[in-house]
Amino acid sequence: MSPEILLGLVLATVRMSLPILFAASGGYFSEKSGVAQIALEAYLLIGAFTAAAVGFQTQSLILAYVAAAVAAAVMAQIFNILIFKFKANSIVVGTGMNLLAMGIIPIVSKTLFESTGSTPALDTSEAALKQSLIMVSVTTVSMMALCYWIAEKSNWGLQIKFAGEKSEALTSVGVNPIKRRWQAVTLCALITGVGGAILSTYLASSYSPLMSAGRGFIALAAVIFAGWNLRKAWIVVLFFGFAEAIQIQLQNMNLAVKIPNEFIQMLPYLATLVALLLLRNKQQAPKEIS
Amino acid sequence: MKRIDFSSLIGFFIGVALSSVLVILFKENPGDVLKVLSGSFLQSKFDMGLTLFYTTCFAFAGLAFSIPFKAGLFHIGAEGQIVLSAMMAAVMGIILPESLGTFGIVLICLATMVVGILAAQTIAFFKVYKQGHEVVVAIMLNFIFAAIATYVILQNYQNPESQNPESALINPAFQGAKADGIKTFFEQSAVSSFLLLAVLSCLAVWFFEKKTKWGMEIKAYGENPTAAERMGISAKKVNFLALGIAGFFSSLVGLTEVLGSTFQYKVGFSPAYGFLGIVVALLAQGHPIGILFSSFIMAVLHKGASDLDLETQFLTRDFSKVLQAIIIFCVAGAVYLNHRRVKRDA
């Protein structure tokens, strides 16, 4: 294998990992606070669509990213209200959130752009791509630093973890665990929404229908695969990104032996199940997750 | 006399009302939209047949969700089981020799059911022996089964006469549903005798849950696992039993599609039956007879939504997903409010 291909593979791995990285980091906080989160897919989709739409209208990447985060966070409030005020099952509501995202985007898109499918393409000139690359790098590094700080160093992060492990302890020091969970889910949506923005403005140049393609679920798998550990989850994300990168690479190369696409696509999911099979990680799940 | 719990119905109507408000935001007339949604199935016998076909699939999918739910399991794996079992039905229908006749149909059904049940038992296996969360395992399996089914069909059984990703037709000898009374009555629409089976299944499940020991054990375990285990109900048995039954009903959706409607496997045939089943079961609050009615309501809406593309300017068929989501939200909320009221009264 020539060095160029190898380098291309490494870069593609990093690129493909990015949306999953954001979704997994977001999902980590929600899961840690004790709220099972299967709506990551919805936040990714909303983020991707909002970023593409706002980016097209305003020609500003920063606004696109901010709008994506805010849109996902606003949508997450539906989830929050139902979970915490109406005590609904988080998985029932999560399923509904995914349906809502899949259903509402084509309608909004048709109203705004007269098309149910893709949004109009963004600027793809060299300068714009360079700007996009800088934006993505800065956002990713600061997101990782921020998440690490919240999860490992801050008091607030510790309280989020306690909300998922032993909420009585929080109550006894005068902190409402519901409040921490509420904040954790909102944080989750903010981060995941930015992941969606990267999906539509950096990995592509427009929103196309269902472009998240199960990445929200892969991110959830990464969090579980890593035993609800943030840094391990990031490494797992790279592995899943590699699976996607190699899939694209193999399509470009004309190999004598064809590895079916479907098998490479299901690799992350299979890996998660194998991990469940081999590891005994029942201790690692947040105790009060529901 | 037990008071009938109408909270999910109230939630349903609140959901429809909220959706109408949403419709106004998109500058459509909610009255027109509701008329399209609810009236589309009355247009012709063919449309009615299609609606009843959806009813059949939704009812099976609803049962596949509601039974594990009684055991405290959140089963979202039906989608994968449906796809995998439909693939099995199509493959068996293609490879079995024509000479088997009716016996061949029985064989197809048996093989499909076994595949559906085993697919669901995989979830139970992870749950019981590896303490994996059933939702996570089911999500993974959904993707894996879909990939396997697509691979098998496209690599080995692709229909040579079609550009679409679909399998060849099953042997004409096994297309018995073409001649059945229900299908003929509805002008060769998608509906078939599986509709009767769906009605019978709902009745049978009602009997199973009310009158049999296993049904009671599932319910007892779901309500209080610790107490149930102390009374000698095995957690292992309940998990495998509840998910096994769910897998059985998932496989019936696959059979309804392949043996009752299209006679082939079309990649992407399922409009997420597995997830629609959740809506159906929640709307009926898990009551098997209720599932029959709620699946019909959802089928009418689903059929109606496919007409929205033509009848309105901005709304698309995707509106049915929005409607389902809002209904899920409202039913989930209304059920809680009702529980709180009952508790306060007591």
Side-chain angles (χ1 to χ4, degrees):
Chain A
M1 197 182 270
S2 69
E4 288 98 67
I5 294 182
L6 207 63
L7 183 70
L9 198 61
V10 171
L11 288 180
T13 301
V14 174
R15 260 204 312 274
M16 299 316 286
S17 306
L18 286 174
I20 315 175
L21 179 80
F22 277 75
S25 309
Y28 167 82
F29 286 110
S30 173
E31 293 262 322
K32 265 290 179 189
S33 78
V35 180
Q37 190 57 267
I38 64 167
L40 293 174
E41 192 79 4
Y43 306 143
L44 274 181
L45 280 173
I46 291 287
F49 175 74
T50 314
V54 171
F56 173 74
Q57 300 284 8
T58 64
Q59 301 295 331
S60 157
L61 266 182
I62 299 177
L63 274 182
Y65 276 51
V66 172
V70 170
V74 167
M75 194 181 164
Q77 298 319 310
I78 304 176
F79 182 90
N80 278 338
I81 290 170
L82 284 163
I83 301 288
F84 300 120
K85 290 281 170 206
F86 290 92
K87 307 275 181 263
N89 182 313
S90 60
I91 305 219
V92 173
V93 182
T95 312
M97 296 288 287
N98 288 337
L99 279 170
L100 183 64
M102 284 181 224
I104 199 93
I105 292 173
I107 301 175
V108 175
S109 163
K110 196 173 179 187
T111 317
L112 291 179
F113 304 111
E114 293 282 317
S115 135
T116 54
S118 315
T119 58
L122 298 168
D123 185 7
T124 50
S125 66
E126 201 132 308
L129 290 181
K130 204 173 163 195
Q131 198 196 359
S132 179
L133 179 64
I134 295 170
M135 183 75 193
V136 165
S137 320
V138 172
T139 318
T140 307
V141 172
S142 42
M143 184 279 291
M144 288 175 80
L146 184 72
C147 284
Y148 180 76
W149 180 75
I150 292 176
E152 308 292 339
K153 306 284 175 207
S154 77
N155 205 7
W156 185 58
L158 192 66
Q159 289 176 349
I160 286 180
K161 286 183 190 170
F162 260 102
E165 295 290 345
K166 201 164 175 47
S167 54
E168 290 158 11
L170 270 190
T171 319
S172 67
V173 295
V175 178
N176 183 358
I178 301 282
K179 207 169 156 188
R180 286 289 170 270
R181 287 186 194 143
W182 196 302
Q183 290 161 343
V185 174
T186 309
L187 178 68
C188 159
L190 280 171
I191 299 174
T192 313
V194 177
I198 291 179
L199 196 58
S200 64
T201 60
Y202 177 66
L203 292 185
S205 59
S206 69
Y207 172 85
S208 52
L210 302 183
M211 73 185 311
S212 59
R215 285 189 180 87
F217 293 118
I218 295 185
L220 180 67
V223 172
I224 293 160
F225 192 96
W228 287 271
N229 176 313
L230 185 60
R231 273 167 296 169
K232 278 190 199 159
W234 287 344
I235 296 167
V236 175
V237 163
L238 275 181
F239 165 71
F240 288 170
F242 177 69
E244 261 188 80
I246 204 151
Q247 179 189 333
I248 298 167
Q249 190 78 269
L250 285 176
Q251 275 168 354
N252 294 337
M253 290 176 359
N254 284 318
L255 292 178
V257 190
K258 268 246 182 279
I259 304 173
N261 223 345
E262 287 86 7
F263 282 112
I264 302 171
Q265 271 166 7
M266 72 184 200
L267 209 63
Y269 309 109
L270 210 55
T272 310
L273 284 190
V274 171
L276 274 176
L277 209 57
L278 297 178
L279 308 171
R280 281 204 154 270
N281 57 356
K282 70 171 165 174
Q283 306 302 331
Q284 291 161 338
K287 292 222 167 40
E288 295 185 19
I289 196 159
S290 66
Chain B
M1 178 78 193
K2 214 172 78 179
R3 214 172 61 192
I4 302 172
D5 185 358
F6 283 114
S7 55
S8 68
L9 209 59
I10 295 166
F12 173 79
F13 283 116
I14 298 174
V16 172
L18 278 181
S19 313
S20 307
V21 175
L22 202 64
V23 166
I24 298 172
L25 287 181
F26 288 104
K27 304 190 188 89
E28 298 282 352
N29 182 346
D32 290 348
V33 171
L34 284 181
K35 215 167 83 188
V36 174
L37 281 177
S38 60
S40 153
F41 83 105
L42 282 172
Q43 280 164 358
S44 68
K45 270 188 179 176
F46 188 86
D47 288 315
M48 256 190 255
L50 197 55
T51 310
L52 289 174
F53 166 74
Y54 289 139
T55 310
T56 314
C57 293
F58 291 175
F60 287 139
L63 291 175
F65 175 79
S66 83
I67 293 167
F69 197 61
K70 297 257 160 77
L73 294 164
F74 198 91
H75 178 232
I76 64 171
E79 189 62 24
Q81 294 146 24
I82 289 167
V83 175
L84 196 70
S85 55
M87 176 215 81
M88 190 65 190
V91 170
M92 290 292 280
I94 293 167
I95 59 172
L96 285 181
E98 213 157 315
S99 54
L100 285 172
T102 320
F103 181 63
I105 297 184
V106 176
L107 268 184
I108 295 174
C109 291
L110 283 179
T112 308
M113 287 167 188
V114 168
V115 165
I117 292 170
L118 284 181
Q121 300 292 34
T122 321
I123 303 176
F125 169 80
F126 276 99
K127 174 92 185 162
V128 170
Y129 292 105
K130 292 290 160 187
Q131 282 81 33
H133 195 285
E134 74 271 11
V135 171
V136 176
V137 176
I139 291 174
M140 304 301 137
L141 285 177
N142 281 348
F143 283 106
I144 293 173
F145 289 153
I148 293 176
T150 310
Y151 170 74
V152 169
I153 293 296
L154 295 190
Q155 292 297 316
N156 305 315
Y157 303 100
Q158 165 70 28
N159 186 355
E161 287 153 29
S162 168
Q163 293 290 321
N164 297 327
E166 59 187 38
S167 78
L169 288 178
I170 61 173
N171 261 325
F174 308 138
Q175 301 183 3
K178 270 198 175 147
D180 81 26
I182 295 182
K183 209 176 198 60
T184 329
F185 180 78
F186 285 105
E187 299 168 347
Q188 295 299 313
S189 186
V191 71
S192 61
S193 310
F194 281 99
L195 178 65
L196 282 183
L197 191 62
V199 175
L200 287 179
S201 300
C202 288
L203 292 172
V205 168
W206 179 76
F207 180 80
F208 171 79
E209 284 176 352
K210 273 262 177 303
K211 303 285 174 195
T212 65
K213 182 165 166 270
W214 283 3
M216 299 287 207
E217 285 187 354
I218 287 181
K219 257 179 152 169
Y221 183 83
E223 265 160 33
N224 191 339
T226 331
E229 279 200 85
R230 235 167 250 170
M231 280 164 58
I233 299 172
S234 144
K236 243 184 237 180
K237 181 178 145 192
V238 168
N239 277 306
F240 277 106
L241 180 66
L243 284 167
I245 299 173
F248 170 75
F249 284 120
S250 301
S251 73
L252 287 182
V253 182
L255 282 175
T256 310
E257 168 78 17
V258 175
L259 284 188
S261 171
T262 54
F263 306 108
Q264 62 183 162
Y265 181 96
K266 287 185 174 166
V267 173
F269 72 89
S270 162
Y273 285 127
F275 293 98
L276 285 160
I278 301 178
V279 188
V280 165
L282 287 177
L283 201 53
Q285 291 191 25
H287 195 289
I289 311 294
I291 285 178
L292 212 51
F293 291 101
S294 64
S295 55
F296 181 68
I297 296 176
M298 290 311 292
V300 168
L301 291 181
H302 189 77
K303 168 74 182 69
S306 61
D307 286 2
L308 281 178
D309 281 339
L310 304 173
E311 306 275 341
T312 66
Q313 198 185 347
F314 290 124
L315 294 182
T316 63
R317 64 178 63 224
D318 300 290
F319 188 67
S320 78
K321 287 195 185 116
V322 178
L323 196 63
Q324 284 155 21
I326 295 180
I327 291 174
I328 290 182
F329 295 157
C330 291
V331 171
V335 169
Y336 161 71
L337 287 183
N338 186 55
H339 279 300
R340 203 177 58 168
R341 202 193 46 179
V342 170
K343 238 185 232 169
R344 203 178 49 212
D345 291 350

